Amino acid sequence: MTAPTTTGAAPRGLRDFYENPAVPVASGTPRSLRQARMLARALNGPATASPQTILDIGCGDGTAAATAAPLLPGHRVIGVDWSQDALRRARTRIPYAVRGELTGGGLPFASGSADAVLFSEVIEHLVDPDAALDEIRRILRPGGHLMLSTPNLAAWYNRGLLLAGVQPVFSEVSLRGIHGRPGKEVVGHLRLYTARALKEFVAASGFDVVRLEGAPFHGVPRPLRPLDRLACARPQLASILLLHARRT
């Protein structure tokens, strides 16, 4: 997903990087579906008494929001991103997509106005994730839901790669190329989390952690995908971490 900047003026090179249409802005349907099902359960499914406002912050091309929408009937899903290129693509998939940044002037929403936030593969791109969660907490109502997903530094294959002295998958040392690890795509990851670190970080930011699940990674080589799906049963080993938390 495309990451909203966390400074009033991001380094020009980094902003240009995320505005590049060649940079991937979608993270795979399996993760989006699992996250949407978690949110649907949290909102009590279609039986929810009143429509809820759900913000997909860092919506990228709108794929995750479009995937989630059929599982959230009656609720309003709004995409938010600072990349104009991503927003143009998102508006072809979802009815509402607006420009917003996590800091600087803040998101264009009143305090306590959102019932839930989807924050999908964004936090690993941020210079200041603390400020990002502060802003998300501001716009969520008390008891509102945060659905956060991010790559797992301690994924099952990364443990083996580190033992072999190889740079872990998802980590990057350059915006110009991949060095020292498998893969070809540069996506601009600045921070990586283990399951334990993610839960502690979110709790310290004023949220109660409700649940942690695992999801597969679409970039795993095809012969290894059954093993990657199996690892989802143990979130600490899964490729992707899916965390549900509630605003205190």
Side-chain angles (χ1 to χ4, degrees), residues 31 121 123-124 148-159 161-162 168-171 189 191-198 212-217 228 231-232 234-242:
R31 191 273 302 148
E121 264 86 325
I123 200 165
E124 64 271 15
L148 186 157
S149 67
T150 191
N152 182 9
L153 175 60
W156 60 275
Y157 40 81
N158 278 345
R159 298 178 185 224
L161 290 174
L162 276 170
V169 175
F170 308 124
S171 66
H189 289 175
R191 300 183 182 275
L192 289 175
Y193 299 80
T194 63
R196 178 176 178 177
L198 183 65
L212 183 72
E213 295 186 10
F217 173 49
D228 193 44
C232 292
R234 293 281 304 277
Q236 297 87 347
L237 299 175
S239 287
I240 305 295
L241 300 170
L242 304 178

Side-chain angles (χ1 to χ4, degrees), residues 100-165:
E101 301 198 26
L102 283 165
T103 57
L107 293 168
F109 302 99
S111 298
S113 60
D115 299 291
V117 165
L118 291 170
F119 202 44
S120 308
E121 264 86 325
V122 176
I123 200 165
E124 64 271 15
H125 298 266
L126 301 182
V127 175
D128 188 353
D130 303 274
L133 285 198
D134 287 346
E135 179 65 0
I136 288 173
R137 191 174 185 277
R138 180 189 70 80
I139 63 172
L140 275 174
R141 62 168 173 79
H145 304 278
L146 169 63
M147 297 291 173
L148 186 157
S149 67
T150 191
N152 182 9
L153 175 60
W156 60 275
Y157 40 81
N158 278 345
R159 298 178 185 224
L161 290 174
L162 276 170
L163 285 174

Side-chain angles (χ1 to χ4, degrees), residues 26-194:
S27 304
T29 300
R31 191 273 302 148
S32 297
L33 279 172
R34 288 177 185 236
Q35 191 175 41
R37 290 184 186 120
M38 289 176 70
L39 180 55
R41 291 196 299 268
L43 296 177
N44 299 317
T48 302
S50 59
Q52 307 284 291
T53 298
I54 302 160
L55 305 181
D56 183 2
I57 298 177
C59 67
D61 64 3
T63 298
T67 300
L71 301 179
L72 302 165
H75 303 308
R76 187 185 188 200
V77 181
I78 303 172
V80 184
D81 210 293
W82 64 259
S83 168
Q84 297 288 9
D85 176 75
L87 288 171
R88 280 192 293 270
R89 287 183 272 174
R91 287 171 182 141
T92 67
R93 293 181 170 91
I94 54 178
Y96 308 103
V98 300
R99 192 176 188 280
E101 301 198 26
L102 283 165
T103 57
L107 293 168
F109 302 99
S111 298
S113 60
D115 299 291
V117 165
L118 291 170
F119 202 44
S120 308
E121 264 86 325
V122 176
I123 200 165
E124 64 271 15
H125 298 266
L126 301 182
V127 175
D128 188 353
D130 303 274
L133 285 198
D134 287 346
E135 179 65 0
I136 288 173
R137 191 174 185 277
R138 180 189 70 80
I139 63 172
L140 275 174
R141 62 168 173 79
H145 304 278
L146 169 63
M147 297 291 173
L148 186 157
S149 67
T150 191
N152 182 9
L153 175 60
W156 60 275
Y157 40 81
N158 278 345
R159 298 178 185 224
L161 290 174
L162 276 170
L163 285 174
V166 178
Q167 187 83 8
V169 175
F170 308 124
S171 66
E172 295 181 337
V173 299
S174 171
L175 292 179
R176 299 178 181 177
I178 295 297
H179 304 287
R181 70 157 175 84
K184 297 179 180 179
E185 289 184 337
V186 178
V187 293
H189 289 175
L190 303 179
R191 300 183 182 275
L192 289 175
Y193 299 80
T194 63

